[in-house]
Amino acid sequence: MNSIKENAAVADESKFEYERILTGDRPTGPLHLGHYVGSLKNRVRLQDKYETFILIADIQALTTNFEHPERLKENIFLVALDYLACGINPNLSTIIIQSMIPEIAELTAFFSMLVSVNPLRHNPTIKTEAKERGYKELTYGFLGYPVSQTADIAIFKADLIPVGIDQLPHIELARKIVRKFNELYNCNLMKPFALIDKFSKLVGLDGNLKMSKSYGNAINLSDNFDLIKTKIRSALTDENRIHPADKGNPEICTIYSYHRAFSNENLIRETEYDCKNGKIGCVKCKENLFKIIKELLEPMNERRSYYLNNKDEVWDILFTGTKKAGLIASDTLREAKESMKISYSFS
Ligand code: ATP
Ligand code: MG
């Protein structure tokens, strides 16, 4: 690894080689089209190129959902089902249940000694998220989630982390923590690089906030087609357009932004032209979009129903992945503890 690669937090795939990706989701509910365009689609592509580890972060889900741990098991299953439905291949990707790897919690404890509270308090991503959720007081767990994310990454020796630009401060912090740990204890834990995803956030059906589980403005990958049709019909378009022949402004239309995310180039161009020139009404435009979404989801639904009929296979995939990842985790923790000179044994 040369010094340039050492210093930059952002990965450069054209110049350097990377080996293992770590990515994941909090099992807080069904995944939606925003997740698909913002991360899942990319993961399906990347799993052919890199060894891919996908963490279902059930402990991290508790940072905002600690009142309902009993929902985690069902949600873990549903997230795994969404993964498999959208083309995550268990032979290429290792899917892991976070709470079944206790080494992550242990490494989090060691890392937490190396982080001061103020940078966490002032972390822009944490501040935005706390504001969006209306938190006045932050729990120790919520404030510290970037530290536990650092442990997630380091424990599996992952070097490439696909994230949106808003997550970059977390990767920078992770690199700082790992660097400090390595220097202090003369250890050699892997420092991660961010693989920045340039796709801007998919807006929700309300046309205002980003599509999110928590805002009730999402089209879920597991929604049935009748529901999707109803949701698309309800989506906000250019409010100044009353009649189909009125000239519209696609730039402020939610449906057009979905066309841009999911339709082919021709249909995007045609939609833009026809809308601007009053040649297509919103009803027809929404029907066109529905067809596109249906085509996208049909093959997913086929895989989903296979796994719904074979639920044990889903749990097997999860346990096999977790077991494989657990071996790497115990290896990393052993290295970390040895370098700290705290690997005691009773003889
Ligand atoms: P929660 O309500 O639990 O926060 P969410 O729907 O906001 O759920 P997250 O779990 O916060 O989703 O998102 C995980 C990742 O999924 C994000 O970092 C991002 O990569 C991607 N993602 C989520 N929502 C969108 C979206 N609307 N557009 C693009 N990407 C998204
Ligand atoms: Mg969120």
Side-chain angles (χ1 to χ4, degrees):
M1 212 188 267
N2 70 33
S3 61
I4 302 172
K5 188 178 171 186
E6 275 285 311
N7 289 332
V10 177
D12 185 347
E13 283 180 291
S14 67
K15 286 206 189 112
F16 303 108
E17 287 191 357
Y18 303 91
E19 274 167 32
R20 185 177 293 155
I21 281 183
L22 181 81
T23 166
D25 294 278
R26 304 179 330 130
T28 50
L31 301 183
H32 48 66
L33 288 177
H35 292 113
Y36 182 72
V37 289
S39 65
L40 297 172
K41 192 176 160 193
N42 215 15
R43 286 181 203 170
V44 173
R45 185 178 63 81
L46 289 167
Q47 69 181 348
D48 287 324
K49 198 169 168 193
Y50 299 107
E51 190 184 6
T52 298
F53 278 25
I54 307 180
L55 187 71
I56 303 187
D58 55 342
I59 296 184
Q60 206 198 314
L62 294 174
T63 57
T64 57
N65 296 60
F66 55 86
E67 304 95 332
H68 293 292
E70 78 286 359
R71 292 183 188 159
L72 288 175
K73 190 173 179 188
E74 173 73 2
N75 282 339
I76 288 170
F77 179 82
L78 293 177
V79 167
L81 199 60
D82 280 332
Y83 288 165
L84 297 166
C86 76
I88 295 294
N89 177 345
N91 296 317
L92 298 173
S93 292
T94 303
I95 310 178
I96 310 154
I97 301 177
Q98 187 184 35
S99 64
M100 293 181 77
I101 312 272
E103 288 86 351
I104 299 176
E106 215 173 323
L107 192 59
T108 302
F110 298 143
F111 282 171
S112 69
M113 312 304 165
L114 309 183
V115 187
S116 342
V117 177
N118 273 343
L120 291 171
R121 278 220 191 95
H122 299 300
N123 177 305
T125 312
I126 292 203
K127 270 164 85 176
T128 312
E129 211 179 326
K131 197 170 157 206
E132 276 175 9
R133 292 178 188 278
Y135 292 166
K136 297 216 162 51
E137 293 279 333
L138 301 186
T139 63
Y140 178 59
F142 181 84
L143 190 66
Y145 89 74
V147 184
S148 76
Q149 265 183 358
T150 303
D152 295 337
I153 296 168
I155 203 94
F156 299 122
K157 305 178 197 289
D159 55 352
L160 199 56
I161 319 298
V163 287
I165 192 83
D166 57 325
Q167 298 280 310
L168 190 56
H170 292 342
I171 303 298
E172 280 163 347
L173 178 70
R175 291 170 59 82
K176 262 190 210 153
I177 296 173
V178 172
R179 187 182 304 134
K180 193 162 179 186
F181 188 92
N182 284 345
E183 282 171 7
L184 204 55
Y185 305 124
N186 196 20
C187 194
N188 199 19
L189 299 181
M190 179 87 74
K191 266 195 279 182
F193 295 88
L195 182 62
I196 300 291
D197 196 337
K198 295 191 180 63
F199 184 84
S200 51
K201 293 265 182 266
L202 195 74
V203 73
L205 292 159
D206 56 336
N208 179 24
L209 299 164
K210 71 152 199 164
M211 187 176 280
S212 167
K213 289 170 208 153
S214 307
Y215 305 145
N217 62 0
I219 296 177
N220 298 327
L221 300 174
S222 51
D223 284 345
N224 68 49
F225 290 138
D226 284 340
L227 180 58
I228 293 178
K229 205 179 257 180
T230 311
K231 286 184 174 179
I232 289 179
R233 275 202 207 114
S234 77
L236 193 78
T237 53
D238 175 358
E239 285 177 300
N240 296 322
R241 246 187 134 197
I242 314 289
H243 303 291
D246 291 346
K247 291 187 174 175
N249 179 2
E251 292 310 320
I252 56 167
C253 176
T254 317
I255 295 296
Y256 179 66
S257 74
Y258 293 166
H259 272 297
R260 281 234 292 244
F262 299 104
S263 298
N264 63 41
E265 289 297 323
N266 279 345
L267 184 57
I268 298 171
R269 232 177 295 123
E270 210 176 287
T271 304
E272 185 186 4
Y273 180 86
D274 288 352
C275 175
K276 278 185 177 161
N277 293 286
K279 289 184 186 301
I280 186 175
C282 295
V283 173
K284 177 77 177 104
C285 183
K286 286 178 169 180
E287 279 170 13
N288 289 348
L289 178 75
F290 172 70
K291 270 192 218 147
I292 298 286
I293 305 281
K294 187 163 177 261
E295 268 170 36
L296 173 76
L297 297 184
E298 258 161 0
M300 295 192 201
N301 286 349
E302 243 172 69
R303 285 190 287 263
R304 184 184 300 281
S305 59
Y306 168 81
Y307 283 111
L308 273 172
N309 288 324
N310 296 278
K311 289 185 179 166
D312 286 352
E313 229 176 281
V314 178
W315 287 113
D316 270 355
I317 288 168
L318 288 170
F319 293 145
T320 308
T322 303
K323 220 167 159 183
K324 175 181 160 190
L327 296 176
I328 299 172
S330 65
D331 210 41
T332 311
L333 190 70
R334 187 182 37 75
E335 279 172 40
K337 288 174 82 168
E338 274 173 8
S339 67
M340 294 172 79
K341 314 227 179 323
I342 56 165
S343 43
Y344 326 120
S345 61
F346 299 102
S347 51

